Amino acid sequence: MARVGLTTERLVRAGAELADEVGFEQVTVSELARRFEVKVASLYSHVKSSQDLKTRIALFALEELADRAADAIAGRAGKDALVAFADVYRDYGREHPGRAAAARMRLDPETAAASAGVRHAQMTRAILRGYDLTEPDATHAVRLLGSVFHGYASLEVAGGFSHSAPDSQETWTRILDALDALLRNWPSEPTL
Amino acid sequence: MARVGLTTERLVRAGAELADEVGFEQVTVSELARRFEVKVASLYSHVKSSQDLKTRIALFALEELADRAADAIAGRAGKDALVAFADVYRDYGREHPGRAAAARMRLDPETAAASAGVRHAQMTRAILRGYDLTEPDATHAVRLLGSVFHGYASLEVAGGFSHSAPDSQETWTRILDALDALLRNWPSEPTL
DNA sequence: CGTGTTTGCCTAAGTGGTTTAGGTGGATGC
DNA sequence: GCATCCACCTAAACCACTTAGGCAAACACG
């Protein structure tokens, strides 16, 4: 009865890799058990349910992504920081599509509040220190950046921009140029 | 053996309503059969599979959304058109969260190419006629707008902006102001 | 108005993922 | 060396998906 050494930690990591291989939606307790060469029921001592497993993968991805983002913006400011930060999101989505999808998973409010999601929001706000935005404009801008990063990654992985000119990298660069210009010249009052 | 009068059309419509009630992920052939008071296997004369059903719901939502968008931009131009267009997306996401999620579902390339998705892209491009954008900037802008609409709707339905000031409506208005300003003053060359 | 054909819905059965209850034996600690 | 723990097991129930094949209601036509 060879003990494989299952732990919640190992299951979540393997689940994240599985997500990158087959897609987050296709992550299944059964497939994970197969990979560890263990019976399915054995996993239930380590995760409460299939849903619990997916939530843990999402939290793991959010942490990993936040760590990368923190590294990227350290010592940078202004457009430099914006681009480095944004590139972390885009690269993560391309490198780890399953984990990125997990990070976009809907979490219930308490779980979300205790997740690395708040670090993401804080870092986005930190980026804006390089621009002259006062509240509530800073909050609006945080939400805009979140929407763009989130949305672009989704559309890109869905193949929305592939196989059509100009290529996705070019668009990404120009979108960041545009966002930088927008943040430097944020319209303080509604333009009439 | 009372015939209920199942058709693919009716199943897809009921599936869309089910999606709005319980979430697109939770749409299931079994639940649909339950609602029609019919055995599960009976649905398989009308849809090929669970996946087929979901794809049809996605296509239905894309059509419906494109119709609404077309109505909204008729007779409008410039910021007026941009705001009307964008509001259609946001309102649809709030009014029909399940269908909106369906519309964001990943489709395989041929299906996507034959879907109303291309109408969405065309309409977005039409909006930009009110601004002075030449290629390839227009394409970049189309992708930016798509990312923002897509991303904002996802974050909003995930509860990202709820219960925190300023409210989501205010942010949405200000984001559209910002996008309008950006499109009127799109940075043609990378700012150095 | 019968009769044959279509077809809408059925039963039956197999596959596979999820989850719980309870058992067994290998590792650990005294 | 014994008791304990716990990692992993077997067994079994539940539910969603899917296919194959049957029956009878609806329809088309002479």
Side-chain angles (χ1 to χ4, degrees):
Chain A
M1 211 174 276
R3 297 200 174 190
V4 186
L6 296 182
T7 64
T8 303
E9 176 77 12
R10 287 190 66 198
L11 287 178
V12 171
R13 292 193 116 83
E17 283 161 26
L18 178 59
D20 287 336
E21 289 171 38
V22 305
F24 183 58
E25 304 300 326
Q26 278 64 51
V27 170
T28 205
V29 183
S30 305
E31 178 59 29
L32 217 44
R34 242 171 263 130
R35 301 215 164 187
F36 279 99
E37 292 183 312
V38 142
K39 297 296 171 180
V40 188
S42 306
L43 301 201
Y44 280 82
S45 334
H46 305 284
V47 297
K48 282 207 295 292
S49 66
S50 182
Q51 191 56 36
D52 179 49
L53 171 66
K54 286 186 185 155
T55 300
R56 286 175 189 274
I57 294 172
L59 295 175
F60 171 77
L62 281 172
E63 290 280 354
E64 187 174 56
L65 187 50
D67 289 346
R68 290 191 185 198
D71 268 6
I73 64 177
R76 297 187 209 264
K79 185 178 179 183
D80 213 30
L82 175 69
V83 171
F85 188 65
D87 279 347
V88 165
Y89 283 90
R90 179 165 181 254
D91 291 346
Y92 195 70
R94 292 155 63 90
E95 191 182 338
H96 295 300
R99 302 180 198 199
R104 288 191 292 269
M105 170 185 166
R106 190 198 161 118
L107 300 173
D108 58 297
E110 326 100 73
T111 310
S115 76
V118 308
R119 279 172 70 201
H120 290 268
Q122 287 166 351
M123 286 189 285
T124 309
R125 199 164 238 101
I127 299 284
L128 295 180
R129 278 202 287 268
Y131 300 89
D132 277 337
L133 291 176
T134 57
E135 291 299 344
D137 289 326
T139 299
H140 299 319
V142 166
R143 292 173 176 179
L144 171 61
L145 292 179
S147 298
V148 174
F149 299 162
H150 187 103
Y152 196 89
S154 295
L155 293 180
E156 190 169 39
V157 74
F161 308 148
S162 55
H163 313 310
S164 63
D167 76 8
S168 186
Q169 176 56 52
E170 175 67 12
T171 291
W172 183 243
T173 303
R174 300 305 310 283
I175 282 180
L176 292 180
D177 290 337
L179 289 176
D180 173 64
L182 177 60
L183 292 173
R184 278 191 284 102
N185 198 13
W186 187 268
S188 286
E189 289 299 316
T191 56
L192 302 175
Chain B
M1 213 175 277
R3 298 200 175 190
V4 183
L6 296 182
T7 64
T8 303
E9 177 77 12
R10 288 189 66 199
L11 288 178
V12 170
R13 291 193 117 81
E17 283 161 28
L18 179 57
D20 288 335
E21 289 173 37
V22 305
F24 183 57
E25 303 300 326
Q26 278 64 51
V27 170
T28 203
V29 184
S30 305
E31 178 58 30
L32 217 45
R34 241 170 264 131
R35 301 216 164 187
F36 280 99
E37 293 181 314
V38 142
K39 297 295 172 182
V40 188
S42 305
L43 301 200
Y44 282 82
S45 334
H46 305 284
V47 297
K48 282 206 296 292
S49 64
S50 181
Q51 192 56 36
D52 179 49
L53 171 67
K54 285 186 185 158
T55 300
R56 286 176 189 276
I57 295 172
L59 295 175
F60 170 78
L62 282 171
E63 290 281 355
E64 187 174 56
L65 187 50
D67 289 346
R68 291 190 183 198
D71 268 7
I73 64 176
R76 297 187 209 265
K79 186 178 178 182
D80 214 29
L82 175 68
V83 171
F85 188 65
D87 279 347
V88 165
Y89 282 90
R90 178 164 181 253
D91 292 346
Y92 195 71
R94 292 153 64 88
E95 192 182 337
H96 296 299
R99 302 180 198 198
R104 289 190 291 269
M105 172 185 165
R106 189 196 162 120
L107 300 172
D108 58 297
E110 326 100 72
T111 310
S115 76
V118 309
R119 279 173 71 202
H120 290 269
Q122 286 165 351
M123 286 188 284
T124 309
R125 199 164 238 100
I127 298 285
L128 296 179
R129 278 203 287 269
Y131 299 89
D132 278 336
L133 290 176
T134 57
E135 291 299 345
D137 288 326
T139 300
H140 298 320
V142 167
R143 292 173 177 181
L144 172 61
L145 291 179
S147 299
V148 174
F149 298 163
H150 187 104
Y152 197 89
S154 296
L155 293 180
E156 191 169 37
V157 75
F161 308 150
S162 56
H163 314 310
S164 64
D167 75 9
S168 187
Q169 176 56 52
E170 174 66 12
T171 291
W172 183 243
T173 303
R174 300 305 310 284
I175 282 180
L176 292 181
D177 291 337
L179 288 176
D180 172 64
L182 176 61
L183 292 174
R184 280 190 283 103
N185 200 13
W186 186 268
S188 285
E189 289 299 316
T191 56
L192 301 176

